[in-house]
Amino acid sequence: MSATKTAVISNFDKQGDLPDAERQRNAVDTFISEFGSRAASYMESCVRCGLCAEACHFYLTTGDEKYTPIHKIRPFEQAYQRHAGPFAPLYRFLGLAPSVDLEELENWEELIYDSCTLCGRCTLACPMGIDIAELVKEARHGMYKAGLVPDRLAHIVRNAEVKHSPFGEPEDFSRRVREIAKRFKVKIPLDKKRADLLLTTSPSDLDDTPQSVAAAARILNHLGISWTFSSQAFEATNFGYLSGNMELQKDLTCRLIDKAKEIGAQTILLPECGHAYGAARWEAAQWYGGPTGVDVLHMIEFLAANIESGAIKLEKAKGSATFHDPCQLIRRGGLERAPRIILDALGYELHELEDHGTTAFCCGGGGGVLANARAEPLRLKAFELKKSQVEATKAEHFFTSCGQCRLQFTRGAEHFNWQKPIESLVEAVNDHMIVK
Amino acid sequence: MRLLTVFSLLMLIFALPASVSAQDFKPPVPASRPSGTVSPAPSLVRPEQPLLERGSDDISQLWRGIRMGRRGTLSSKSLGTPVLVQSEGELWRNVRSTLVQTYGAYLLGLAAAATLLFWLLRGRIRLKEKPTGRLIERFTLPERVVHWYLAVVFLFLGTTGLILLFGRSILIPVFGREGLAVFASAALHGHNLFGPLFALGVIAMLVLYGRDNLPKMADLKWLATGAGLFTGRHIPSWKFNAGEKIWFWIVIVTGVAISASGLLLDFSYLATDLSQLQIAHFVHVSGALIAIAGAIGHIYLGSVGVEGALDAMVTGEVDENWAREHHDLWAAQSSETKAEEPVGRVAPAE
Amino acid sequence: MIAFLEGPAWYAALTIFVAFSLWRLGWVLLMGGEKHKSPARGSAAAGAIKNVLGEMVPRRAFLKRGKVWFVVFAGYAFHLGLFAVLLFAAPHVDFIEKRLLGFGWTAMPYWGFIVAAEFAFLGLLLLWIRRFVDPVTRLISRLDDHLAAGLTFLVLLTGCLALGQQSVILRGMHMGSVELWLIYFPFSSLFHTFTWPLSRGYTGALFGRRGIRA
């Protein structure tokens, strides 16, 4: 693994049939459009100290320096120096700012998509405070416009564009909701004209863990909240956010907000999903174009609030537990206390992972990496790191509250024959909830 | 090997006459003195007469006393040692400008010549088989940083040191006296400032490389067979072969000597007698000249002399075949430890 | 020659330094910001201030890595040594008083200067060497980083070589290298001197707004 400065010939996928010159132009133009004062000050601050690598699970588990976080956005930064920076004309004139060519963008697809989960640990490690994760996310906008996205991720994105959700059409959703209601014997209101709260969900919940949908429904019913699902606006995940497809991101976000307003719902409740929170809670106003007027809550902050207020009462569970902090909820989302309130109320003896809270290690599956078949070897390496940390706690139960993390742990456990199930907080609350 | 024998001989020739003459002129030292002045070692104390008898105005007697290195009292401690004239300084000055410069120049010239000769006769030591493309880690990041740190600091100190030693002989003819003054002033301040950095480097070097440089049985075999340098026969060795170990310990021994003497010279107010500084200087220069001579050979071997050597110290990695050809015992041990690494651990800080 | 270096060249270098630094900083500040932000959970300003002034050592989780310690130690050794030498070395205090501000302050004793200079050299050498031999920094470093380190080293070195304060040539070399450094400064990564509060501030604001306990 010795470093070379020559171009890395790596795998890349290509979508669409745009001519090369147009791909390159689209990418660069989009890159340039991202640069405001914030991104520019990041571009102007990097001193190439390399400390970001020391935080990144992909670098740490492989030892391969090409996964150094700031290196992942090199074409993005190059575009800044050549076109958007304070000395851009001077650098161009002196030949000091090379243009970003298509080959470089193709080589970088792997770094921008396969080896970054947007987890933001590098952001915490940077002495200059550069938000590298955010820059990777912004770079993806340009990569998407150039049609340089990993194939499977692009496929899911197309699905979402056409059907609104990768899960399926509204009819598919309605059918699944009725199945879940029947199977778990829980009332699930669908397409009500008026409600106070709009519940959303994710394809993995609907397909792989329907019990968590049922759990959410049961808890909401118990709390006596006026709520509903909408077959037109049920999708909490935002593959536009993950892939860099800005139009899709905006479309998915606005869809939820518009529906909430339509039915008079003050609150949108997100399922146990990570990036859904990043998209709907923290970026909604940016894409909506102004204050949305609707509150967005994540399931765990909703549960924690209701536990603290006493609205939800729990039977004590037994045993020890450890918790994986989903990056988009805790490190990027600010919800560090919520899962701990829930686990404490449940009565578990908490054995924290060696790296937990805001400096927890990413599961390795977020940010679109799970949806990227090519990234599997990297993903599994990150999984092994988490596995060894979980085992070190000797905790009986292993919890998290994000569907993608859950899927990563499930798939990783299958691959390595690891007999440790991953559990969900909403399901645990439901299982222990005292219903009179 | 040949180099080593020559160096040791030179050191003997070098050191012997100087050490013999240095003992001739121990100054007579007063037995009693007022408080606040420096006390000499007991064996040097002799009954003393005042510099001038009361009432006498025999200036020649006064100056004879002073010339013999008689100690007086100082009005302030920061003025140095309480000796106005130290006659053996003349000996020291002669030793420095004749013996040291001459033999030092010979030593360096010999080192350069020997290296050149080695290159002419043996040529570049290349890999016999093609590289496999698989790499093993030979030097960790800390090892490489410390090595290059010491190398850079050593090069700077060596250059400034040589200017200080040979400046008057070599630079005055070229740049004139005023020109030399610029070099000398710059060299002196740079040299004094970088000295402590060198001391730190030597310590770090010892800590990081010491264990792998301890003698082993394989070293005797390696030495006995003359390192296979001219026979091309494969001699087993661990991480460092005997030749490398010898160079390492030369660096450490001369490094410690240079550092200790250098620190005394840098903070010369700590000396209680001028002869201490003179001895320190002699040790300093001798050690430095030996180190520079050795460095000439080391730099040759480490850069062009042995294929793959420079890469090893820059990237830290060597090809499997290189490891097997040059250090097969280490290569075998390395692959064993690598196989035992637990899964799920993070890569070392590289 | 020395008159040139201490006269027009000095003024030119200083002017370039100030003018282009202001340009670069102004450019970045005035580039426009994000228009709409989702409702904040906490204070962006408080988060910004905390991130700028508070995070002076890496967060504990990262201090498990030896390399992080190395960079922190060498980085502080260099920066603190450099600032001490720059602002408190007697010849500098003298220069600042006579040629820049019109007033000065108490200078360090000579031994203080030596200690500071040692640390500055130690830190700079260690970090610069590491830039070459660490695969991570070897991959991401560019010529600018080496020029920045090299010029800074040259300034420190020529300063120390001129310590005798006897040689006009040596003083001229120091002055000349300082002027080169000043001219290079606004165009290089050395500019992080002024941008670090900005980048830390923006990220800190995000942390504050989102209630992230960073």
Side-chain angles (χ1 to χ4, degrees):
Chain A
M1 277 172 267
S2 48
T4 56
K5 279 193 120 100
T6 55
V8 175
I9 312 300
S10 55
N11 284 329
F12 66 92
D13 297 329
K14 205 158 66 167
Q15 295 85 40
D17 47 14
L18 287 174
D20 284 351
E22 206 176 321
R23 284 182 193 273
Q24 186 263 352
R25 217 178 14 254
N26 284 351
V28 174
D29 287 346
T30 313
F31 286 166
I32 296 167
S33 69
E34 305 285 346
F35 293 115
S37 176
R38 187 169 169 272
S41 60
Y42 293 153
M43 299 290 108
E44 302 285 2
S45 298
C46 177
V47 292
R48 268 76 63 187
C49 74
L51 284 186
C52 50
E54 298 297 307
C56 176
H57 47 282
F58 290 129
Y59 168 76
L60 289 172
T61 55
T62 60
D64 193 339
E65 65 275 6
K66 73 180 180 186
Y67 299 130
T68 302
I70 202 68
H71 185 60
K72 294 168 187 169
I73 56 141
R74 196 180 181 118
F76 192 57
E77 194 255 344
Q78 239 175 278
Y80 172 79
Q81 296 294 349
R82 187 174 174 81
H83 297 285
F87 301 120
L90 180 67
Y91 290 164
R92 279 200 305 272
F93 176 71
L94 293 173
L96 293 173
S99 63
V100 181
D101 60 29
L102 188 64
E103 189 185 341
E104 186 181 346
L105 290 168
E106 289 165 350
N107 283 337
W108 249 259
E109 182 187 303
E110 172 211 340
L111 295 182
I112 292 178
Y113 283 103
D114 301 21
S115 70
C116 183
T117 48
L118 310 178
C119 83
R121 205 161 185 267
C122 50
T123 304
L124 287 183
C126 175
M128 310 298 288
I130 298 169
D131 195 347
I132 306 173
E134 191 64 26
L135 293 173
V136 173
K137 186 149 79 53
E138 287 166 14
R140 288 183 179 186
H141 297 164
M143 296 296 283
Y144 176 78
K145 280 279 199 277
L148 290 171
V149 177
D151 268 338
R152 202 163 149 261
L153 182 61
H155 178 75
I156 297 175
V157 164
R158 268 197 302 279
N159 255 338
E161 277 174 322
V162 168
K163 294 187 267 183
H164 150 55
S165 165
F167 171 77
E169 306 272 3
E171 303 81 58
D172 302 316
F173 175 75
S174 305
R175 193 180 323 120
R176 178 57 54 86
V177 161
R178 285 193 295 272
E179 282 167 12
I180 293 174
K182 193 164 167 201
R183 179 176 159 198
F184 292 96
K185 300 189 180 42
V186 60
K187 236 169 110 219
I188 302 184
L190 179 60
D191 290 327
K192 269 166 60 176
K193 293 278 190 294
R194 297 213 74 73
D196 290 335
L197 182 146
L198 176 68
L199 181 63
T200 58
T201 185
S202 70
S204 63
D205 280 359
L206 292 166
D207 278 326
D208 303 326
T209 56
Q211 68 273 20
S212 59
V213 180
R218 192 159 165 263
I219 293 169
L220 287 170
N221 290 341
H222 169 73
L223 290 169
I225 291 174
S226 154
W227 70 278
T228 187
F229 264 131
S230 161
S231 59
Q232 301 292 327
F234 61 86
E235 179 59 73
T237 67
N238 195 320
F239 275 86
Y241 177 96
L242 295 177
S243 64
N245 181 341
M246 293 182 276
E247 287 82 19
L248 179 64
Q249 176 172 0
K250 178 177 175 178
D251 178 58
L252 292 171
T253 299
C254 291
R255 203 165 169 132
L256 293 178
I257 298 186
D258 289 339
K259 177 58 71 175
K261 287 180 127 124
E262 183 194 310
I263 64 174
Q266 182 54 42
T267 307
I268 295 174
L269 184 57
L270 301 172
E272 283 183 312
C273 178
H275 73 275
Y277 195 62
R281 174 65 179 91
W282 295 118
E283 289 198 6
Q286 183 185 339
W287 297 103
Y288 194 71
T292 62
V294 176
D295 300 329
V296 174
L297 285 181
H298 188 271
M299 184 60 68
I300 57 171
E301 65 182 317
F302 174 78
L303 292 175
N306 279 289
I307 287 171
E308 281 190 308
S309 70
I312 294 178
K313 288 191 172 31
L314 298 167
E315 275 169 9
K316 290 294 184 198
K318 280 202 193 58
S320 55
T322 190
F323 184 74
H324 160 72
D325 291 281
C327 307
Q328 299 301 322
L329 299 181
I330 277 82
R331 177 165 39 254
R332 307 292 289 176
L335 295 180
E336 190 177 355
R337 282 188 65 236
R340 284 156 181 92
I341 291 171
I342 298 170
L343 286 168
D344 187 60
L346 281 167
Y348 285 112
E349 185 189 301
L350 184 58
H351 298 180
E352 296 276 20
L353 294 172
E354 184 188 339
D355 292 289
H356 62 274
T358 27
T359 52
F361 271 109
C362 177
C363 69
V369 171
L370 253 179
N372 178 353
R374 194 176 61 202
E376 192 186 6
L378 270 175
R379 203 172 39 76
L380 291 174
K381 275 221 142 13
F383 169 82
E384 286 182 292
L385 174 56
K386 292 297 294 195
K387 173 172 174 282
S388 65
Q389 289 207 339
V390 169
E391 284 172 342
T393 65
K394 299 196 176 9
E396 290 152 10
H397 296 270
F398 177 30
F399 283 100
T400 191
S401 50
C402 162
Q404 292 289 282
C405 301
R406 199 173 175 181
L407 197 55
Q408 156 74 335
F409 289 127
T410 308
R411 288 205 195 148
E414 274 164 22
H415 182 93
F416 289 102
N417 209 12
W418 190 40
Q419 310 298 336
K420 191 119 198 140
I422 178 72
E423 302 175 55
S424 135
L425 284 182
V426 70
E427 291 171 31
V429 168
N430 175 53
D431 290 343
H432 291 87
M433 193 167 66
I434 299 172
V435 179
K436 271 187 278 291
Chain B
M1 264 314 285
R2 206 180 343 143
L3 261 95
L4 202 56
T5 339
V6 174
F7 290 172
S8 343
L9 280 173
L10 273 173
M11 208 162 83
L12 281 169
I13 300 166
F14 203 23
L16 211 50
S19 64
V20 163
S21 5
Q23 266 153 47
D24 289 351
F25 287 84
K26 272 283 160 283
V29 179
S32 61
R33 51 189 68 268
S35 60
T37 58
V38 177
S39 294
S43 58
L44 298 175
V45 173
R46 284 195 225 160
E48 200 50 86
Q49 288 145 0
L51 275 172
L52 261 191
E53 271 132 22
R54 193 172 309 171
S56 163
D57 58 358
D58 186 350
I59 301 299
S60 60
Q61 187 196 359
L62 173 72
W63 281 108
R64 199 176 305 119
I66 290 171
R67 185 74 169 71
M68 293 278 282
R70 294 277 295 276
R71 302 176 85 87
T73 46
L74 291 173
S75 53
S76 159
K77 254 198 251 204
S78 65
L79 290 175
T81 49
V83 173
L84 197 59
V85 174
Q86 188 221 29
S87 299
E88 57 266 13
E90 183 59 21
L91 171 71
W92 169 75
R93 197 185 67 80
N94 280 325
V95 165
R96 182 185 179 275
S97 48
T98 56
L99 277 176
V100 173
Q101 287 199 42
T102 315
Y103 285 117
Y106 282 154
L107 184 64
L108 298 184
L110 195 68
T115 307
L116 187 65
L117 199 66
F118 181 84
W119 173 64
L120 288 170
L121 292 179
R122 179 64 178 78
R124 193 173 187 213
I125 298 175
R126 292 186 181 281
L127 260 190
K128 286 203 200 66
E129 296 166 39
K130 282 188 118 51
T132 63
R134 281 187 303 276
L135 301 171
I136 314 181
E137 185 193 56
R138 181 159 166 81
F139 296 119
T140 63
L141 185 65
E143 285 173 340
R144 284 177 278 144
V145 169
V146 165
H147 169 269
W148 289 113
Y149 168 81
L150 195 63
V152 165
V153 172
F154 178 81
L155 285 174
F156 180 77
L157 287 169
T159 309
T160 48
L162 288 174
I163 291 173
L164 290 171
L165 181 62
F166 291 110
R168 298 188 65 135
S169 325
I170 297 182
L171 295 177
I172 291 184
V174 181
F175 296 105
R177 300 190 92 88
E178 285 78 21
L180 170 72
V182 176
F183 278 102
S185 174
L188 181 70
H189 286 101
H191 195 86
N192 287 356
L193 195 77
F194 270 64
L197 296 177
F198 177 75
L200 283 174
V202 171
I203 296 170
M205 196 92 203
L206 181 61
V207 167
L208 283 178
Y209 286 84
R211 203 149 54 121
D212 286 320
N213 276 287
L214 292 171
K216 284 179 140 106
M217 281 308 291
D219 296 324
L220 287 176
K221 251 189 273 171
W222 194 91
L223 286 171
T225 54
L229 274 177
F230 292 98
T231 60
R233 252 195 0 247
H234 168 71
I235 318 280
S237 88
W238 293 94
K239 183 169 184 182
F240 297 114
N241 59 45
E244 289 168 310
K245 291 184 184 180
I246 289 169
W247 168 236
F248 174 79
W249 291 110
I250 289 178
V251 168
I252 297 299
V253 169
T254 55
V256 170
I258 291 167
S259 300
S261 55
L263 285 169
L264 180 61
L265 290 165
D266 224 346
F267 302 101
S268 50
Y269 51 82
L270 292 172
T272 57
D273 193 85
L274 205 52
S275 58
Q276 292 167 3
L277 295 177
Q278 287 154 351
I279 294 169
H281 172 269
F282 187 74
V283 166
H284 194 80
V285 167
S286 312
L289 286 166
I290 293 169
I292 295 172
I296 291 172
H298 172 74
I299 292 171
Y300 163 72
L301 285 174
S303 56
V304 297
V306 176
E307 186 185 8
L310 188 59
D311 255 351
M313 195 44 93
V314 173
T315 67
E317 291 169 327
V318 293
D319 188 84
E320 262 180 12
N321 270 347
W322 188 97
R324 257 185 256 127
E325 271 180 47
H326 290 284
H327 302 278
D328 60 332
L329 299 170
W330 166 77
Q333 185 188 52
S334 251
S335 51
E336 266 170 37
T337 29
K338 196 141 179 84
E340 290 164 16
E341 266 173 21
V343 163
R345 66 182 282 268
V346 299
E350 284 291 323
Chain C
M1 183 61 179
I2 188 75
F4 172 72
L5 283 173
E6 294 199 339
W10 164 247
Y11 292 117
L14 201 58
T15 309
I16 292 174
F17 170 74
V18 171
F20 285 99
S21 295
L22 284 174
W23 171 261
R24 187 170 175 178
L25 200 59
W27 180 275
V28 167
L29 284 171
L30 299 173
M31 266 181 98
E34 279 133 23
K35 289 128 276 177
H36 304 286
K37 296 201 169 59
S38 293
R41 180 181 283 134
S43 160
I49 291 171
K50 178 164 177 279
N51 209 36
V52 172
L53 297 177
E55 303 301 327
M56 285 313 188
V57 280
R59 294 164 172 96
R60 205 177 307 140
F62 306 122
L63 286 172
K64 287 186 223 170
R65 302 283 299 167
K67 200 192 294 185
V68 175
W69 276 106
F70 169 78
V71 172
V72 170
F73 167 74
Y76 271 116
F78 164 68
H79 282 94
L80 294 177
L82 179 68
F83 292 153
V85 166
L86 191 60
L87 296 173
F88 293 100
H92 292 163
V93 176
D94 214 45
F95 184 88
I96 291 170
E97 183 173 354
K98 292 201 174 70
R99 310 255 349 238
L100 274 176
L101 297 177
F103 64 89
W105 44 80
T106 323
M108 273 191 298
Y110 188 71
W111 64 262
F113 162 81
I114 294 294
V115 169
E118 302 273 8
F119 275 104
F121 275 115
L122 181 67
L124 183 54
L125 276 176
L126 286 175
L127 287 173
W128 197 10
I129 285 167
R130 175 244 176 173
R131 200 175 270 295
F132 284 103
V133 295
D134 181 350
V136 169
T137 44
R138 217 168 54 243
L139 178 68
I140 62 178
S141 293
R142 25 193 94 162
L143 182 62
D144 169 38
D145 302 305
H146 294 293
L147 280 176
L151 273 176
T152 308
F153 183 75
L154 195 64
V155 167
L156 279 175
L157 187 69
T158 52
C160 291
L161 296 183
L163 266 178
Q165 300 208 68
Q166 308 151 326
S167 163
V168 162
I169 294 176
L170 293 176
R171 190 166 104 235
M173 281 172 66
H174 183 55
M175 203 64 198
S177 59
V178 168
E179 283 155 15
L180 274 176
W181 188 89
L182 285 172
I183 292 169
Y184 188 62
F185 187 99
F187 303 98
S188 70
S189 63
L190 289 172
F191 201 71
H192 73 277
T193 313
F194 300 124
T195 52
W196 72 269
L198 288 181
S199 55
R200 279 222 212 159
Y202 277 117
T203 302
L206 181 138
F207 291 156
R209 225 180 6 255
R210 298 189 182 188
I212 296 166
R213 198 177 62 96

